[in-house]
């Protein structure tokens, strides 16, 4: 299969492929997603095959309007309506109870709930409208690998496996959307993202559960990223927890007889002597730029060098740092540099 790259002025052609049951990757403000008609079971099955994704890992349904959600979900609560008004379009995915037999089990993982998102990307919203169908959209990468923040990342992983890629340049946020479960009595964040617990609580006026990011080996996850290893490059990632740990971490790196990677903010890179066997990748100046660049850095060391180990900077586990550290811990397999 030839994978065609479309520009935003070619959306009708990309939408025609989706409507015909083909797979087309699409941009969002978070990462690139792998699109298929959410109402076409055969198309959805292709998503799992293309990614090598476990079949009990549910998919997020991307929509261009609230009316589409109401076609499939049970009546929306006042809490849901407040959140939609505040954060859609945007990086917030919400899980709702479904009407009976509203979506195929291939979309829901066999659950009676489904996750919906209205992405903040004009090209993708136009794509969904032109295709005249909601589209499933897991990250457009090989399952378990760092999520794609450029069309080139998608092409690297899925060239020849999907029909097309809608290229709208680099994503803005860089980590996947916040997933909020509204199918339970207390709203619960199943995956942290750019929309923080504090921002959600300020809108709905009630506490949000935040310790629901993992499930057991025999449980079916309600949202992506809760059960399986994610975001992992070929190299082993070591998390450097504190700025004062960097001199010792870099001294250790200098003693290794293999090329090493270093991912850190400009302040860390400028304040420390980087060993000659270490290649640098800047995470910018703060948590916003670090979140945007995290996956690009992991992919850089995966595809452009022979790096076997990567030292990566930690951030405080609050605000956007919750999302950043969630992804970094998974990419590292919870491995931290030990002083």
């Amino acid at each position: 299969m030839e994978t065609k790259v479309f520009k935003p002025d070619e959306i009708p052609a990309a939408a025609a492929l989706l409507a015909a049951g083909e797979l087309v990757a699409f941009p969002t403000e978070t990462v690139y997603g792998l699109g298929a008609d959410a109402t076409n079971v055969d198309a959805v099955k292709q998503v799992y095959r293309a990614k090598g994704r476990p079949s009990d890992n549910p998919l997020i349904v991307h929509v261009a309007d609230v009316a589409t959600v109401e076609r499939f979900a049970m009546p929306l609560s006042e809490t849901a309506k407040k959140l939609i008004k505040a954060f859609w379009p945007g990086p917030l995915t919400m899980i709702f109870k479904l009407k009976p037999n509203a979506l195929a089990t291939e979309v829901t993982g066999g659950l009676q709930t489904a996750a919906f998102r209205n992405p903040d990307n004009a090209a993708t919203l136009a794509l969904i409208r032109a295709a005249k169908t909601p589209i499933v959209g897991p990250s457009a990468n090989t399952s378990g690998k760092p999520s794609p923040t450029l069309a080139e990342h998608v092409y690297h992983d899925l060239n020849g496996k999907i029909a097309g890629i809608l290229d709208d340049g680099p994503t803005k946020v860089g980590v996947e959307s916040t997933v909020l479960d509204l199918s339970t009595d207390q709203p619960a964040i199943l995956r942290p993202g750019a929309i923080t617990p504090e921002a959600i609580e300020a809108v709905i006026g009630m506490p949000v559960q935040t310790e629901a990011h993992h499930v057991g080996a025999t449980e079916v996850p309600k949202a992506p990223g809760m059960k399986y290893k994610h975001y992992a490059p070929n190299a082993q990632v070591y998390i450097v927890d504190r700025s004062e740990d960097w001199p010792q971490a870099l001294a250790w790196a200098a003693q290794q007889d293999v090329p090493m990677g270093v991912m850190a903010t400009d302040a860390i890179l400028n304040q420390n002597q980087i060993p000659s066997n270490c290649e640098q990748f800047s995470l910018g100046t703060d948590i916003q730029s670090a979140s945007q660049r995290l996956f690009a850095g992991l992919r850089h060391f995966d595809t452009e060098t022979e790096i076997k180990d990567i030292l990566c900077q930690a951030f405080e586990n609050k605000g956007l740092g919750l999302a950043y550290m969630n992804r970094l811990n998974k990419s590292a397999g919870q491995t931290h540099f030990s002083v």
Side-chain angles (χ1 to χ4, degrees):
M1 178 187 296
E2 179 184 355
T3 299
K4 179 174 174 55
V5 178
F6 298 95
K7 293 299 183 180
D9 61 357
E10 300 174 296
I11 284 173
L17 288 174
L18 280 173
E22 300 288 351
L23 306 188
V24 176
F26 60 91
T28 75
E29 75 280 27
T30 58
V31 300
Y32 275 75
L34 180 54
D37 180 350
T39 67
N40 182 330
V41 174
D42 290 336
V44 173
K45 287 180 179 179
Q46 288 184 57
V47 170
Y48 288 96
R49 289 195 292 269
K51 282 178 60 69
R53 181 184 178 94
S55 60
D56 70 342
N57 203 4
L59 303 172
I60 294 173
V61 180
H62 291 67
V63 301
D65 51 53
V66 179
T68 303
V69 178
E70 293 173 331
R71 281 174 49 197
F72 301 102
M74 298 292 282
L76 301 178
S77 65
E78 289 304 312
T79 295
K81 292 176 182 177
K82 289 178 182 178
L83 291 166
I84 287 170
K85 183 177 180 180
F87 298 118
W88 277 14
L92 178 65
T93 294
M94 287 179 277
I95 295 176
F96 302 121
K97 293 180 180 178
L98 292 172
K99 295 174 182 176
N101 304 312
L103 289 168
T105 57
E106 286 79 6
V107 175
T108 66
L111 300 172
Q112 299 305 309
T113 58
F116 293 88
R117 179 156 110 81
N118 179 218
D120 188 13
N121 180 279
T124 285
L125 293 176
L127 177 70
I128 297 170
R129 294 187 186 103
K132 299 180 180 179
T133 181
I135 57 177
V136 296
S139 55
N141 59 316
T142 301
S143 188
K145 289 300 180 181
S147 296
T149 55
L150 292 169
E152 290 89 337
H153 298 160
V154 182
Y155 194 85
H156 174 270
D157 280 17
L158 300 177
N159 178 32
K161 297 180 180 180
I162 64 176
I165 303 167
L166 177 58
D167 184 358
D168 192 36
T171 63
K172 297 176 181 178
V173 177
V175 292
E176 299 87 348
S177 61
T178 303
V179 177
L180 181 68
D181 188 0
L182 292 179
S183 69
T184 56
D185 291 337
Q186 182 185 12
I189 291 179
L190 304 188
R191 183 179 71 188
I195 306 299
T196 64
E198 294 80 9
I200 293 170
E201 290 171 347
V203 169
I204 63 177
M206 69 175 75
V208 174
Q209 184 182 353
T210 60
E211 301 300 323
H213 303 165
H214 305 283
V215 297
T218 60
E219 296 179 77
V220 177
K222 279 188 173 182
M226 296 181 68
K227 182 175 181 181
Y228 300 97
K229 187 177 182 182
H230 274 62
Y231 323 120
N234 293 327
Q236 174 61 54
V237 177
Y238 295 89
I239 301 169
V240 182
D241 291 302
R242 304 176 303 169
S243 59
E244 55 264 38
D245 295 337
W246 275 100
Q248 288 175 279
L250 292 168
W252 170 78
Q255 297 170 2
Q256 309 308 306
D257 59 358
V258 295
M260 302 283 289
V262 175
M263 294 175 59
T265 55
D266 294 339
I268 294 294
L269 297 176
N270 293 335
Q271 291 169 8
N272 292 276
Q273 184 67 40
I274 308 300
S276 59
N277 67 325
C278 291
E279 181 178 343
Q280 305 175 38
F281 186 93
S282 171
L283 293 176
T285 58
D286 54 24
I287 184 58
Q288 281 75 27
S289 61
S291 296
Q292 184 185 33
R293 299 181 187 185
L294 175 63
F295 289 143
L298 295 175
R299 281 186 168 271
H300 168 77
F301 289 125
D302 237 7
T303 60
E304 299 183 23
T305 69
E306 295 300 319
I307 300 298
K308 302 300 181 185
D309 297 285
I310 302 169
L311 295 170
C312 190
Q313 181 177 344
F315 279 83
E316 190 174 358
N317 206 30
K318 69 176 186 178
L320 183 56
L322 281 170
Y324 175 91
M325 290 307 299
N326 172 270
R327 307 318 191 269
L328 180 55
N329 271 300
K330 287 178 183 254
S331 71
Q334 307 289 335
T335 303
H336 294 250
F337 175 78
S338 179
V339 177

